[in-house]
Amino acid sequence: MMRFIIFLSFFAVINASVLKPNCVVIRNRNYEKDVLKVDIKSPYQLAIDHDTNTLFFSFTARKDEMFKIAYLSLKTREYNVVSGIHGGFATAIDSNKNKIYMGGEDGIYKFDYKTKTATNLGLLSNVNIWQMFFKNGLYFTTYPEETAFVYKKNKVDIVRELVDIKAMLVAVNKAGHIVYANSSGLFMYNESTQTTNLLDTAVVNGITADIDGNLFFSTPTGVYFIDENTKQVDELFRMENIYGVAVEGNGDFIYATEDSLVRLKSTKNECFFEQTWISNEGF
Ligand SMILES: *[C@@H]1O[C@H](CO)[C@@H](O)[C@H](O)[C@H]1NC(C)=O
Ligand SMILES: *[C@@H]1O[C@H](CO)[C@@H](O)[C@H](O)[C@H]1NC(C)=O
């Protein structure tokens, strides 16, 4: 009887494309992370003034645990906290009239770059504003009521599509339809049919328009585009701990995490590198 012991030896060559840690691929384009600001607690409600290239956002001030609004120049990175506002949480920009509106615990404010101060318009002193969006009128929601209002032609009204419907976030899409989020999900209201489409059941924590009026939103785990023609939501990128999103004039993204603001800058650099492992498996 002969016994054979067979030894086999394999050298396996494994090639893989590895994503660089500072890179994100969105719609087949490469973006590199550029950290704009660190050590900022809970930045929410990002809004960009495209005229001055300034990013506005809310944060939680550590000293008194109050909401405040700050801004960061995307050109010079000059950073300032807005003064004169009680519990500022929301910002919206009327780019036609170059007006910056802010929402505080006691109504609507207007911001002045020269004095870096917000002044209460004295319209509604008993509403605590949660979020704002400008398109042919200043749309805003209140907390804790979750009512959506619009300020237009010197009058404040409940958004007529959202009477008796709770909304934490409200926006208007290119076609002029109301898009809103509440604890049940993200919805789009169709004016002509007076029907509501469910776009997503995710928890939406931020909604924004790019310079052309296309809508984007964030959830704690990603950033999405709303295709208003197909009524579909496209996932742009996934990431943990997202607090909000804004889109720059050139299409670059800015997102907030629990303690920082990061720009995703479009790049021609490769996002992947090839890595080769040689493994020796003998048995
Ligand atoms: C959210 O909006 C949807 C669609 O309008 C509505 O059916 C639902 O009741 C709302 N949720 C809350 C908590 O109000
Ligand atoms: C509204 O509904 C009508 C009829 O279904 C449809 O033709 C139209 O495209 C819808 N508009 C939007 C913006 O979804």
PDB file of all heavy atoms in Angstrom, residues 268-283:
ATOM      1  N   LYS A 268     -10.598  65.860 -10.590  1.00  0.00           N
ATOM      2  CA  LYS A 268     -10.244  64.949 -11.675  1.00  0.00           C
ATOM      3  C   LYS A 268      -9.354  63.830 -11.161  1.00  0.00           C
ATOM      4  O   LYS A 268      -9.054  62.880 -11.870  1.00  0.00           O
ATOM      5  CB  LYS A 268      -9.513  65.724 -12.783  1.00  0.00           C
ATOM      6  CG  LYS A 268     -10.440  66.699 -13.497  1.00  0.00           C
ATOM      7  CD  LYS A 268     -10.001  66.962 -14.929  1.00  0.00           C
ATOM      8  CE  LYS A 268     -11.078  67.627 -15.737  1.00  0.00           C
ATOM      9  NZ  LYS A 268     -11.362  69.016 -15.257  1.00  0.00           N
ATOM     10  N   ASN A 269      -8.897  63.970  -9.916  1.00  0.00           N
ATOM     11  CA  ASN A 269      -8.043  62.923  -9.331  1.00  0.00           C
ATOM     12  C   ASN A 269      -8.816  61.616  -9.214  1.00  0.00           C
ATOM     13  O   ASN A 269     -10.029  61.617  -9.028  1.00  0.00           O
ATOM     14  CB  ASN A 269      -7.570  63.330  -7.931  1.00  0.00           C
ATOM     15  CG  ASN A 269      -6.659  64.539  -7.986  1.00  0.00           C
ATOM     16  OD1 ASN A 269      -6.098  64.838  -9.035  1.00  0.00           O
ATOM     17  ND2 ASN A 269      -6.537  65.227  -6.873  1.00  0.00           N
ATOM     18  N   GLU A 270      -8.083  60.550  -9.284  1.00  0.00           N
ATOM     19  CA  GLU A 270      -8.691  59.226  -9.124  1.00  0.00           C
ATOM     20  C   GLU A 270      -9.123  59.016  -7.673  1.00  0.00           C
ATOM     21  O   GLU A 270      -8.407  59.392  -6.753  1.00  0.00           O
ATOM     22  CB  GLU A 270      -7.675  58.139  -9.514  1.00  0.00           C
ATOM     23  CG  GLU A 270      -7.716  57.780 -10.983  1.00  0.00           C
ATOM     24  CD  GLU A 270      -9.104  57.385 -11.458  1.00  0.00           C
ATOM     25  OE1 GLU A 270      -9.795  56.667 -10.715  1.00  0.00           O
ATOM     26  OE2 GLU A 270      -9.492  57.806 -12.564  1.00  0.00           O
ATOM     27  N   CYS A 271     -10.285  58.433  -7.493  1.00  0.00           N
ATOM     28  CA  CYS A 271     -10.761  58.154  -6.147  1.00  0.00           C
ATOM     29  C   CYS A 271     -10.344  56.760  -5.690  1.00  0.00           C
ATOM     30  O   CYS A 271     -10.379  56.448  -4.516  1.00  0.00           O
ATOM     31  CB  CYS A 271     -12.273  58.254  -6.092  1.00  0.00           C
ATOM     32  SG  CYS A 271     -12.847  59.755  -5.302  1.00  0.00           S
ATOM     33  N   PHE A 272      -9.987  55.922  -6.638  1.00  0.00           N
ATOM     34  CA  PHE A 272      -9.629  54.556  -6.286  1.00  0.00           C
ATOM     35  C   PHE A 272      -8.154  54.341  -6.566  1.00  0.00           C
ATOM     36  O   PHE A 272      -7.589  54.931  -7.481  1.00  0.00           O
ATOM     37  CB  PHE A 272     -10.430  53.560  -7.131  1.00  0.00           C
ATOM     38  CG  PHE A 272     -11.883  53.515  -6.749  1.00  0.00           C
ATOM     39  CD1 PHE A 272     -12.809  54.305  -7.421  1.00  0.00           C
ATOM     40  CD2 PHE A 272     -12.316  52.683  -5.728  1.00  0.00           C
ATOM     41  CE1 PHE A 272     -14.146  54.267  -7.054  1.00  0.00           C
ATOM     42  CE2 PHE A 272     -13.651  52.636  -5.372  1.00  0.00           C
ATOM     43  CZ  PHE A 272     -14.564  53.427  -6.036  1.00  0.00           C
ATOM     44  N   PHE A 273      -7.517  53.526  -5.765  1.00  0.00           N
ATOM     45  CA  PHE A 273      -6.183  53.080  -6.133  1.00  0.00           C
ATOM     46  C   PHE A 273      -6.188  51.559  -6.148  1.00  0.00           C
ATOM     47  O   PHE A 273      -6.975  50.918  -5.471  1.00  0.00           O
ATOM     48  CB  PHE A 273      -5.117  53.657  -5.210  1.00  0.00           C
ATOM     49  CG  PHE A 273      -5.234  53.281  -3.771  1.00  0.00           C
ATOM     50  CD1 PHE A 273      -4.583  52.160  -3.268  1.00  0.00           C
ATOM     51  CD2 PHE A 273      -6.005  54.050  -2.901  1.00  0.00           C
ATOM     52  CE1 PHE A 273      -4.697  51.816  -1.937  1.00  0.00           C
ATOM     53  CE2 PHE A 273      -6.119  53.710  -1.563  1.00  0.00           C
ATOM     54  CZ  PHE A 273      -5.464  52.585  -1.081  1.00  0.00           C
ATOM     55  N   GLU A 274      -5.286  51.014  -6.985  1.00  0.00           N
ATOM     56  CA  GLU A 274      -5.216  49.553  -7.118  1.00  0.00           C
ATOM     57  C   GLU A 274      -4.314  49.016  -6.021  1.00  0.00           C
ATOM     58  O   GLU A 274      -3.224  49.525  -5.800  1.00  0.00           O
ATOM     59  CB  GLU A 274      -4.629  49.185  -8.492  1.00  0.00           C
ATOM     60  CG  GLU A 274      -5.524  49.528  -9.655  1.00  0.00           C
ATOM     61  CD  GLU A 274      -6.873  48.830  -9.610  1.00  0.00           C
ATOM     62  OE1 GLU A 274      -6.904  47.624  -9.307  1.00  0.00           O
ATOM     63  OE2 GLU A 274      -7.891  49.505  -9.865  1.00  0.00           O
ATOM     64  N   GLN A 275      -4.803  48.022  -5.347  1.00  0.00           N
ATOM     65  CA  GLN A 275      -3.969  47.404  -4.328  1.00  0.00           C
ATOM     66  C   GLN A 275      -3.825  45.929  -4.665  1.00  0.00           C
ATOM     67  O   GLN A 275      -4.786  45.286  -5.091  1.00  0.00           O
ATOM     68  CB  GLN A 275      -4.594  47.581  -2.964  1.00  0.00           C
ATOM     69  CG  GLN A 275      -3.653  47.199  -1.852  1.00  0.00           C
ATOM     70  CD  GLN A 275      -4.018  47.907  -0.553  1.00  0.00           C
ATOM     71  OE1 GLN A 275      -4.398  49.065  -0.563  1.00  0.00           O
ATOM     72  NE2 GLN A 275      -3.910  47.209   0.545  1.00  0.00           N
ATOM     73  N   THR A 276      -2.615  45.410  -4.501  1.00  0.00           N
ATOM     74  CA  THR A 276      -2.366  44.008  -4.814  1.00  0.00           C
ATOM     75  C   THR A 276      -1.885  43.290  -3.556  1.00  0.00           C
ATOM     76  O   THR A 276      -1.012  43.780  -2.851  1.00  0.00           O
ATOM     77  CB  THR A 276      -1.283  43.892  -5.908  1.00  0.00           C
ATOM     78  OG1 THR A 276      -1.716  44.680  -7.015  1.00  0.00           O
ATOM     79  CG2 THR A 276      -1.097  42.451  -6.334  1.00  0.00           C
ATOM     80  N   TRP A 277      -2.519  42.188  -3.269  1.00  0.00           N
ATOM     81  CA  TRP A 277      -2.045  41.343  -2.168  1.00  0.00           C
ATOM     82  C   TRP A 277      -1.591  40.029  -2.782  1.00  0.00           C
ATOM     83  O   TRP A 277      -2.209  39.517  -3.711  1.00  0.00           O
ATOM     84  CB  TRP A 277      -3.176  41.012  -1.201  1.00  0.00           C
ATOM     85  CG  TRP A 277      -3.694  42.142  -0.398  1.00  0.00           C
ATOM     86  CD1 TRP A 277      -3.178  42.647   0.751  1.00  0.00           C
ATOM     87  CD2 TRP A 277      -4.869  42.901  -0.676  1.00  0.00           C
ATOM     88  NE1 TRP A 277      -3.947  43.669   1.217  1.00  0.00           N
ATOM     89  CE2 TRP A 277      -4.997  43.858   0.355  1.00  0.00           C
ATOM     90  CE3 TRP A 277      -5.820  42.890  -1.702  1.00  0.00           C
ATOM     91  CZ2 TRP A 277      -6.042  44.768   0.399  1.00  0.00           C
ATOM     92  CZ3 TRP A 277      -6.862  43.793  -1.658  1.00  0.00           C
ATOM     93  CH2 TRP A 277      -6.960  44.727  -0.618  1.00  0.00           C
ATOM     94  N   ILE A 278      -0.514  39.469  -2.244  1.00  0.00           N
ATOM     95  CA  ILE A 278      -0.128  38.122  -2.655  1.00  0.00           C
ATOM     96  C   ILE A 278      -0.284  37.249  -1.428  1.00  0.00           C
ATOM     97  O   ILE A 278       0.308  37.507  -0.374  1.00  0.00           O
ATOM     98  CB  ILE A 278       1.312  38.083  -3.193  1.00  0.00           C
ATOM     99  CG1 ILE A 278       1.378  38.983  -4.439  1.00  0.00           C
ATOM    100  CG2 ILE A 278       1.721  36.654  -3.513  1.00  0.00           C
ATOM    101  CD1 ILE A 278       2.744  39.110  -5.016  1.00  0.00           C
ATOM    102  N   SER A 279      -1.123  36.262  -1.549  1.00  0.00           N
ATOM    103  CA  SER A 279      -1.295  35.411  -0.383  1.00  0.00           C
ATOM    104  C   SER A 279      -0.805  34.014  -0.719  1.00  0.00           C
ATOM    105  O   SER A 279      -0.970  33.522  -1.825  1.00  0.00           O
ATOM    106  CB  SER A 279      -2.757  35.412   0.055  1.00  0.00           C
ATOM    107  OG  SER A 279      -3.492  34.551  -0.762  1.00  0.00           O
ATOM    108  N   ASN A 280      -0.172  33.427   0.220  1.00  0.00           N
ATOM    109  CA  ASN A 280       0.425  32.119   0.031  1.00  0.00           C
ATOM    110  C   ASN A 280      -0.346  31.132   0.886  1.00  0.00           C
ATOM    111  O   ASN A 280      -0.322  31.192   2.100  1.00  0.00           O
ATOM    112  CB  ASN A 280       1.890  32.222   0.472  1.00  0.00           C
ATOM    113  CG  ASN A 280       2.558  30.860   0.487  1.00  0.00           C
ATOM    114  OD1 ASN A 280       1.962  29.876   0.058  1.00  0.00           O
ATOM    115  ND2 ASN A 280       3.766  30.824   0.998  1.00  0.00           N
ATOM    116  N   GLU A 281      -1.070  30.301   0.230  1.00  0.00           N
ATOM    117  CA  GLU A 281      -1.835  29.312   0.977  1.00  0.00           C
ATOM    118  C   GLU A 281      -1.321  27.924   0.640  1.00  0.00           C
ATOM    119  O   GLU A 281      -1.527  27.420  -0.445  1.00  0.00           O
ATOM    120  CB  GLU A 281      -3.316  29.397   0.607  1.00  0.00           C
ATOM    121  CG  GLU A 281      -3.980  30.647   1.108  1.00  0.00           C
ATOM    122  CD  GLU A 281      -5.443  30.676   0.737  1.00  0.00           C
ATOM    123  OE1 GLU A 281      -5.949  29.653   0.230  1.00  0.00           O
ATOM    124  OE2 GLU A 281      -6.048  31.714   0.972  1.00  0.00           O
ATOM    125  N   GLY A 282      -0.646  27.339   1.562  1.00  0.00           N
ATOM    126  CA  GLY A 282      -0.161  25.981   1.330  1.00  0.00           C
ATOM    127  C   GLY A 282      -0.891  25.005   2.230  1.00  0.00           C
ATOM    128  O   GLY A 282      -1.196  25.341   3.370  1.00  0.00           O
ATOM    129  N   PHE A 283      -1.231  23.848   1.728  1.00  0.00           N
ATOM    130  CA  PHE A 283      -1.823  22.842   2.613  1.00  0.00           C
ATOM    131  C   PHE A 283      -1.542  21.445   2.090  1.00  0.00           C
ATOM    132  O   PHE A 283      -1.056  21.298   0.948  1.00  0.00           O
ATOM    133  CB  PHE A 283      -3.338  23.068   2.816  1.00  0.00           C
ATOM    134  CG  PHE A 283      -4.129  23.132   1.558  1.00  0.00           C
ATOM    135  CD1 PHE A 283      -4.691  21.973   1.002  1.00  0.00           C
ATOM    136  CD2 PHE A 283      -4.319  24.339   0.892  1.00  0.00           C
ATOM    137  CE1 PHE A 283      -5.425  22.039  -0.145  1.00  0.00           C
ATOM    138  CE2 PHE A 283      -5.064  24.386  -0.272  1.00  0.00           C
ATOM    139  CZ  PHE A 283      -5.609  23.245  -0.795  1.00  0.00           C
TER     140      PHE A 283
END
